Each structure stands twice: as C-alpha cells, then as structure tokens.
Amino acid sequence: MQKLRKHLVIILTAVMLVCGWGVWLLLKNVLPASYFWAYPAIPSFFYIMGLVLINVITRDRKESQLKLVNLYMLIRLTKVGASILFGGSYLLFVKEQLRDFSIVFIGYYLMYLGLETYFFYRVEEIIKKKKVDE
C-alpha cells in the first residue's frame, strides 16, 4: 500500500498543480473581473482533503467489505460536510464575488469527486488482488 499511497499522492499533486495554476491563469488573464482574492484557498482545501483521503484509504488493514464500504461513505459524508463549512464560511463572512467563488468551488468539487472515485477504485483493485494472492 505504500507504493500505491505514493502513486496517488503524485497524481493528486500533479492534478491540483495543473488545475490550480491553470484556473488561476484563466481567472487572472482571461477573466480578470472574475478573480477573487481567496482563490488559492480552494485548491489548497481540496489538496488537503485529498491527502487525508489517501492516508485513510491506504492504511494497511484487513477488514470486511462492509466495513470498507462504511468507511468510504463516512469519508464522502465528511467531505461534503467540510465543503459545506468551507463554502458556507466564505459565503457568510466574505460576501465578495459569490457567483465566481461558487462556480470555481463547484468545478473543483466535481474534479475532486472524479479523483476520489479513481482513488477508491485503485485501492479496491489492490485489495482484491491481495485477496486473490492469499
């Protein structure tokens, strides 16, 4: 699982760097009226969420399938709650360029959802492979 963890962290870092800089350049140069000062917090938030996700799902443990499904659902619920807290905090306290923030935040959320699904898939593949080898 250590090898998989490193692989997933590299993928997460690459995707977040490319998306973070790409969206930043787009907002700064192409749509300067849509740039908001708190933009760097969004990719940082999802990067930290991704690191936590990777560390939780790649821990080497032998559990039943039901416990793994429950863990995945708990992780997804936690992600939704943290996202609501983060986005809601911005919407309640900052109140600047709400539409632009919401669009960018939802875009990152959907991108992160795809990454999360890929990470779960890869971990399940490794677990099934280990069970076949045993």
Side-chain angles (χ1 to χ4, degrees), residues 11-123:
I11 290 172
L12 175 70
T13 303
V15 169
M16 285 305 192
L17 283 174
V18 168
C19 288
W21 284 102
V23 173
W24 179 78
L25 286 171
L26 178 74
L27 288 175
K28 199 74 166 164
N29 297 325
V30 179
L31 304 166
S34 297
Y35 183 76
F36 49 96
W37 65 271
Y39 167 73
I42 295 173
S44 301
F45 170 75
F46 284 106
Y47 184 71
I48 291 169
M49 291 285 294
L51 290 177
V52 170
L53 169 76
I54 290 168
N55 283 323
V56 170
I57 65 173
T58 57
R59 279 189 287 184
D60 213 8
R61 61 190 174 280
K62 299 199 185 292
E63 294 181 1
S64 69
Q65 284 297 113
L66 184 60
K67 285 186 180 182
L68 284 175
V69 170
N70 287 338
L71 176 67
Y72 293 167
M73 289 296 116
L74 182 64
I75 289 170
R76 286 188 183 245
L77 182 64
T78 304
K79 178 195 61 163
V80 168
S83 296
I84 289 172
L85 276 173
F86 181 79
S89 298
Y90 183 89
L91 296 176
L92 287 175
F93 299 117
V94 178
K95 297 178 184 174
E96 292 178 12
Q97 293 178 297
L98 299 179
R99 184 181 66 86
D100 299 325
F101 174 84
S102 299
I103 290 169
V104 171
F105 189 80
I106 289 169
Y108 268 96
Y109 186 87
L110 293 173
M111 184 263 315
Y112 179 77
L113 190 64
L115 274 176
E116 184 181 70
T117 303
Y118 174 73
F119 294 162
F120 286 147
Y121 172 75
R122 292 290 305 182
V123 169

